[in-house]
Amino acid sequence: MIELPYLLKAENIARLEDDKLLIGDRRVYPFEKRFETCSDINEIANALKSMVTQGGGPLQVAMTSMLYIGKQMQKGHMNAGFATLVEAANLLIQARPTNTTMKRTLQAMLKTLEASDDFIVEIPKVVDSWQQYYDDIYHRMGKLGSTLIPEKATILTTCFAEHTFLLSLAYAKEEGKEIQALVPETRPYLQGSRLTAPSLEEMGIKATVITDGMGATFLSEGFIDLYLTAADLVCMDGTVVNKVGTLANALAAKQYQVPYYAFSISPDPTSLSKADIHMEWRDAKEVTQCMGRPTTLPTISGLYPAFDIIDSSLVSGIVTGKGLYKPEEIRKEFL
Amino acid sequence: MIELPYLLKAENIARLEDDKLLIGDRRVYPFEKRFETCSDINEIANALKSMVTQGGGPLQVAMTSMLYIGKQMQKGHMNAGFATLVEAANLLIQARPTNTTMKRTLQAMLKTLEASDDFIVEIPKVVDSWQQYYDDIYHRMGKLGSTLIPEKATILTTCFAEHTFLLSLAYAKEEGKEIQALVPETRPYLQGSRLTAPSLEEMGIKATVITDGMGATFLSEGFIDLYLTAADLVCMDGTVVNKVGTLANALAAKQYQVPYYAFSISPDPTSLSKADIHMEWRDAKEVTQCMGRPTTLPTISGLYPAFDIIDSSLVSGIVTGKGLYKPEEIRKEFL
């Protein structure tokens, strides 16, 4: 089994220590390996709200939180009623309302636990089974993703595409393919420079950082063989929603005939098309600073649309937990 | 006459004070209004090499340097031979070899001065006449540019497109047009956030900063009416060369049917097509830092192609000193 980089090891995303739950702080990585220490469920929810972790992080925090609550209940530090567990799960869901994977997983866990004789005793088994479920999917998607990578390839990405992307490259490397990645820094949070590039380097894959305006440049000059990103959401018509900056690269990839694949564990059957997507705007102040320092005058404001909506005509295929599909096949498989 | 913003006022680009030549430092603007003080022609050349000023800045520095040398010669601080003037001009040209406007202007000045009876006495007149020549062109191109702007328009740009772009928006505003600009920050040097946005604000035009990955996003959602940039070079076949990041926006503008115009005082008759363009790579260390602070691990490297090459099929027109032309008309007018 391929080893995950520091950032994606479950214990570095969230872990229990004594009566605390620790969350790895992705806002300061790789400059600091800092953990946010939470002493109750409110502190955990607040850490999620403050973006201490992102991407697949909140799901891992939610699973570890279930373990944490079970332990606190066993020790008598928390009311051991099932309603308390439901309340805690709802607090986490509300902290990150757009993270539907975390929400669906927590709700499925609660359903299983509610039906059990002793839910507190069952929690570790249920959490472990979900952990195994996701680990299996990540590796299956990674193996599938690796088959899309040519023998010798420079791969463009955007933001921090986590397990499925990193494992795709790792499996390709394991198969002896000669690969390297071009990583746009992904302003304003610099997930590309701070998370993706160091994780690739740790996995022995050469990663070179470029600015967010350079993807089209390298695509136009024939430097890139493949464009791979995560997807925050895939609609039933094959529309892909991902971090702002993805669209510019997808348009250029199409123009210069470079395939673009997105990873999505499960396309969302409640989103039929672009019309169902809510355009999320984040704090514009992020755009007029970099790592906490202002990049312009305080009188000037920014705009921060969080996501791009990528038309299915720009997408070569979608790697899902069930297999690889063309955008037009998504409806038939997932609706 | 419309007043130029602080950054483009000739005296803030370069001016004489006592026996010194002062160059406005664009690397720290708008956080500091600092000047680099130069005591001889070598110090001026070194300041140009260190990118104290950029864009049209070196041309202004070169003109002020001619005044400086004339004055130093009159005071007997410099050898008053014409060869000394030629040598000084060559030092400046060598400091920024790709700045062909500065080179051509200095060479034209030398030619005029060489033919005069007393070149030292003539310098101020010759410099003044060139200053007037460029001021006229800037305003003429600005007026022409303003005619491309709709009555109510949001204009996307890239980097710091200086006089012609800023004057186009200023004339449009003067004509009562309701305009605002979306300004990509333009990493790694942040010319958008630091130079363009503050200059527009100073001129009373609303400027909103976005990251370099967001141009396509706003174009795709119908926020943008017009894309306007400078051009470092325009080839005879209408190919436009401009700051990296321009291509991604030009591709998206084409896709979403938004016109793209570039400003170029004079397309370059020695560059027939893309084949004649030398791809310039700058120090990759710039890409892995922001305002001097590292954005990733020191073991990870970057890539910094300075310019994008934009195919003429993506260009609606080119605003030149002679008028507005379609890309396919450039050869006929300028070769």
Side-chain angles (χ1 to χ4, degrees):
Chain A
M1 197 85 136
I2 280 171
E3 203 184 346
L4 290 166
Y6 173 90
L7 262 181
L8 294 185
K9 287 200 170 93
E11 67 269 26
N12 296 328
I13 303 175
R15 68 164 176 260
L16 303 182
E17 262 183 35
D18 306 323
D19 281 335
K20 315 284 185 193
L21 185 144
L22 274 56
I23 304 176
D25 193 340
R26 289 191 182 174
R27 298 170 304 183
V28 296
Y29 190 85
F31 309 112
E32 290 176 58
K33 289 182 177 172
R34 207 184 76 82
F35 286 81
E36 186 85 4
T37 303
C38 304
S39 304
D40 60 40
I41 195 74
N42 284 306
E43 288 185 13
I44 299 171
N46 285 335
L48 290 184
K49 274 187 202 158
S50 327
M51 305 289 289
V52 171
T53 190
Q54 46 70 260
L59 171 66
Q60 191 66 45
V61 170
M63 293 199 284
T64 313
S65 296
M66 292 294 105
L67 292 178
Y68 175 73
I69 293 166
K71 232 174 139 185
Q72 294 300 98
M73 285 177 169
Q74 271 176 330
K75 288 187 178 180
H77 297 171
M78 271 178 96
N79 176 320
F82 189 72
T84 308
L85 190 70
V86 174
E87 204 181 308
N90 285 335
L91 257 179
L92 299 179
I93 291 167
Q94 282 154 27
R96 291 292 267 276
T98 55
N99 196 316
T100 53
T101 310
M102 176 179 78
K103 180 180 172 176
R104 276 181 281 151
T105 308
L106 279 172
Q107 287 173 340
M109 279 183 178
L110 290 176
K111 212 171 159 188
T112 312
L113 291 169
E114 195 174 15
S116 69
D117 290 339
D118 184 341
F119 79 89
I120 296 179
V121 171
E122 283 299 307
I123 285 176
K125 289 182 216 167
V126 172
V127 168
D128 192 59
S129 125
W130 277 98
Q131 186 79 62
Q132 197 56 52
Y133 169 78
Y134 282 112
D135 285 351
D136 287 350
I137 285 189
Y138 292 150
H139 282 273
R140 204 160 62 238
M141 288 170 70
K143 278 176 192 161
L144 188 51
S146 77
T147 66
L148 303 170
I149 299 175
E151 283 302 317
K152 190 168 159 40
T154 299
I155 299 149
L156 180 70
T157 188
T158 287
C159 200
F160 180 46
E162 300 194 80
H163 301 80
T164 49
F165 168 75
L166 293 176
L167 287 171
S168 293
L169 271 62
Y171 279 113
K173 180 175 175 271
E174 200 184 49
E175 290 156 20
K177 293 180 180 176
E178 237 180 279
I179 57 166
Q180 62 167 331
L182 277 195
V183 183
E185 58 182 350
T186 318
R187 284 274 295 144
Y189 273 113
L190 299 168
Q191 291 96 331
S193 305
R194 296 192 302 101
L195 311 182
T196 304
S199 293
L200 284 169
E201 184 180 59
E202 195 185 331
M203 297 172 94
I205 296 161
K206 191 186 171 194
T208 305
V209 171
I210 58 175
T211 69
D212 298 336
M214 292 179 190
T217 313
F218 287 100
L219 283 159
S220 75
E221 297 291 331
F223 282 74
I224 312 281
D225 303 288
L226 190 61
Y227 181 38
L228 296 177
T229 73
D232 289 88
L233 180 75
V234 172
C235 299
M236 288 300 105
D237 67 351
T239 301
V240 168
V241 178
N242 195 46
K243 170 67 57 186
V244 70
T246 307
L247 176 60
N249 291 334
L251 282 168
K254 179 80 175 180
Q255 174 77 15
Y256 301 108
Q257 292 157 36
V258 171
Y260 166 44
Y261 292 94
F263 292 90
S264 167
I265 292 179
S266 56
D268 178 14
T270 69
S271 298
L272 297 181
S273 72
K274 183 179 169 175
D276 298 310
I277 300 165
H278 166 70
M279 183 97 166
E280 186 187 328
W281 296 81
R282 293 208 174 135
D283 187 354
K285 283 196 189 75
E286 298 300 332
V287 170
T288 51
Q289 62 79 37
C290 184
M291 296 182 294
R293 285 174 65 202
T295 52
T296 189
L297 297 176
T299 46
I300 291 168
S301 58
L303 275 174
Y304 186 1
F307 299 111
D308 269 338
I309 298 171
I310 297 113
D311 190 81
S312 63
S313 63
L314 304 173
V315 181
S316 308
I318 295 153
V319 179
T320 75
K322 285 172 72 178
L324 170 68
Y325 298 103
K326 291 196 179 129
E328 60 270 25
E329 295 172 324
I330 293 293
R331 176 183 295 270
K332 172 172 85 215
E333 292 297 327
F334 292 92
L335 193 63
Chain B
M1 197 87 138
I2 281 171
E3 202 184 347
L4 289 166
Y6 174 90
L7 262 181
L8 294 186
K9 288 200 169 95
E11 68 267 28
N12 296 328
I13 302 175
R15 69 165 174 260
L16 303 183
E17 261 183 36
D18 306 320
D19 282 335
K20 316 283 183 193
L21 185 143
L22 275 55
I23 305 175
D25 193 341
R26 291 192 180 173
R27 297 169 304 182
V28 297
Y29 190 85
F31 309 113
E32 290 176 59
K33 289 181 177 173
R34 206 183 77 81
F35 286 82
E36 186 85 3
T37 303
C38 304
S39 305
D40 60 39
I41 195 74
N42 283 306
E43 287 184 15
I44 300 171
N46 284 336
L48 290 184
K49 273 186 202 157
S50 329
M51 305 289 288
V52 171
T53 190
Q54 45 72 258
L59 171 66
Q60 191 66 47
V61 170
M63 293 197 285
T64 312
S65 296
M66 292 294 105
L67 293 177
Y68 175 73
I69 292 166
K71 232 173 139 185
Q72 295 300 98
M73 286 177 171
Q74 272 177 329
K75 289 187 178 178
H77 296 171
M78 269 178 98
N79 177 321
F82 189 72
T84 309
L85 190 69
V86 174
E87 204 182 308
N90 284 336
L91 258 179
L92 299 178
I93 291 168
Q94 282 154 28
R96 290 293 267 274
T98 55
N99 197 314
T100 54
T101 310
M102 176 179 78
K103 180 180 172 175
R104 276 181 281 151
T105 308
L106 279 173
Q107 287 173 342
M109 279 183 179
L110 289 177
K111 212 170 160 184
T112 312
L113 291 170
E114 196 174 16
S116 70
D117 291 340
D118 184 342
F119 78 89
I120 295 179
V121 171
E122 282 301 307
I123 285 175
K125 292 182 215 167
V126 172
V127 168
D128 193 60
S129 124
W130 276 97
Q131 186 80 61
Q132 198 54 54
Y133 170 78
Y134 282 113
D135 285 351
D136 288 350
I137 285 189
Y138 292 150
H139 282 272
R140 202 160 64 238
M141 287 172 70
K143 278 175 191 159
L144 187 51
S146 77
T147 66
L148 302 170
I149 298 175
E151 282 302 320
K152 190 169 158 41
T154 298
I155 298 148
L156 179 70
T157 188
T158 288
C159 200
F160 180 45
E162 300 194 79
H163 300 80
T164 49
F165 168 76
L166 292 175
L167 288 171
S168 294
L169 271 62
Y171 279 113
K173 180 176 174 269
E174 201 184 50
E175 290 155 20
K177 293 179 180 178
E178 237 181 276
I179 57 166
Q180 63 166 331
L182 277 194
V183 183
E185 58 182 351
T186 317
R187 284 273 296 141
Y189 274 113
L190 300 166
Q191 291 96 331
S193 304
R194 295 192 302 101
L195 311 182
T196 304
S199 294
L200 284 168
E201 184 181 59
E202 195 185 330
M203 297 172 93
I205 296 161
K206 191 187 173 194
T208 305
V209 171
I210 60 175
T211 68
D212 298 333
M214 292 177 188
T217 313
F218 287 100
L219 284 159
S220 74
E221 297 291 331
F223 282 74
I224 313 282
D225 302 288
L226 190 61
Y227 180 39
L228 295 177
T229 72
D232 289 87
L233 179 75
V234 171
C235 300
M236 288 300 106
D237 67 351
T239 300
V240 169
V241 178
N242 194 45
K243 171 67 58 188
V244 70
T246 307
L247 176 61
N249 292 333
L251 282 168
K254 179 80 175 180
Q255 174 78 14
Y256 301 109
Q257 290 157 38
V258 171
Y260 166 44
Y261 293 94
F263 293 89
S264 167
I265 292 180
S266 57
D268 177 13
T270 69
S271 298
L272 298 181
S273 71
K274 185 180 165 172
D276 297 310
I277 301 163
H278 166 71
M279 183 97 166
E280 187 187 328
W281 296 82
R282 292 207 176 136
D283 188 354
K285 285 197 188 75
E286 299 300 333
V287 170
T288 51
Q289 62 79 37
C290 185
M291 297 182 292
R293 284 174 67 203
T295 53
T296 189
L297 297 176
T299 46
I300 291 168
S301 57
L303 275 174
Y304 186 2
F307 299 110
D308 269 338
I309 298 169
I310 298 113
D311 191 81
S312 63
S313 63
L314 304 173
V315 182
S316 309
I318 295 153
V319 179
T320 75
K322 285 172 69 179
L324 170 68
Y325 298 103
K326 292 198 178 130
E328 60 270 24
E329 295 172 326
I330 292 293
R331 176 183 295 269
K332 173 170 82 325
E333 291 297 328
F334 292 91
L335 193 63

